[in-house]
Amino acid sequence: MSNAIETRLSEMGLSLPVASAPAANYVSYVLTGNMLYVSGQISMTEKGLDGLITGKVGADLTVEEGAAAAQTCALGLLAQVKAACGGDLSKLKRVVKLVGFVNSTPDFTQQPKVINGASDLMVEVLGDIGKHARSAVSAGALPLNVAVEIEGIFEIDV
């Protein structure tokens, strides 16, 4: 399935970034039993910190641009899962939950549509194992002024 996941991403014109290192005193993920908890992944292109997707959705970015930013977070999450699985994405059994934070204006109420960018990617790439529980919340600000940050919980084979 590992190759199938990356093949599917390639067919969509996407690829996994290199799993990012933590930026402070935390770890990128924690594995306990068969549950993998992945730290928040921020919206950025393949250029890393030089390609941050920044701004407030509802002022600087449209819902569609926010959803595209959320998709980059989902790719970052999958990159962390791959790293935690020793490079073997076939060990991924289930996306359990995503928690998405949207840097948005006080009157913006379409956070779920923004986080759909990540949810839709998970289901399109992974099928039924990509279906997950989710939260989508507004944030007055996010680190580095990024548009979106998403953390995830995954079940893996150990």
Side-chain angles (χ1 to χ4, degrees):
M1 186 168 177
S2 183
N3 286 341
I5 292 170
E6 294 189 79
T7 298
R8 179 70 185 124
L9 286 168
S10 179
E11 289 168 353
M12 296 169 62
L14 302 170
S15 61
L16 294 181
V18 174
S20 61
N25 191 18
Y26 64 92
V27 293
S28 298
Y29 55 82
V30 171
L31 179 62
T32 182
N34 65 342
M35 299 304 292
L36 179 66
Y37 297 80
V38 179
S39 295
Q41 302 297 299
I42 60 175
S43 52
M44 63 180 155
T45 68
E46 66 281 348
K47 295 178 184 174
L49 293 177
D50 291 332
L52 292 175
I53 301 168
T54 60
K56 286 199 177 292
V57 182
D60 309 312
L61 300 169
T62 66
V63 170
E64 295 76 19
E65 290 168 327
Q71 185 180 74
T72 70
C73 297
L75 292 170
L77 288 167
L78 289 173
Q80 294 294 347
V81 171
K82 182 178 178 180
C85 291
D88 184 3
L89 275 173
S90 69
K91 292 182 178 182
L92 176 59
K93 291 179 67 177
R94 176 96 201 218
V95 181
V96 176
K97 183 168 186 181
L98 298 182
V99 180
F101 304 92
V102 181
N103 182 1
S104 55
T105 59
D107 61 338
F108 185 79
T109 60
Q110 297 183 66
Q111 290 81 8
K113 288 184 179 181
V114 172
I115 302 304
N116 281 348
S119 294
D120 292 347
L121 177 86
M122 292 296 186
V123 174
E124 189 170 350
V125 171
L126 302 171
D128 284 343
I129 71 165
K131 294 178 180 177
H132 53 274
R134 185 182 87 176
S135 298
V137 298
S138 179
L142 288 173
L144 305 172
N145 194 37
V146 294
V148 181
E149 180 173 352
I150 302 176
E151 63 183 58
I153 303 170
F154 303 83
E155 182 182 2
I156 64 169
D157 277 329
V158 288

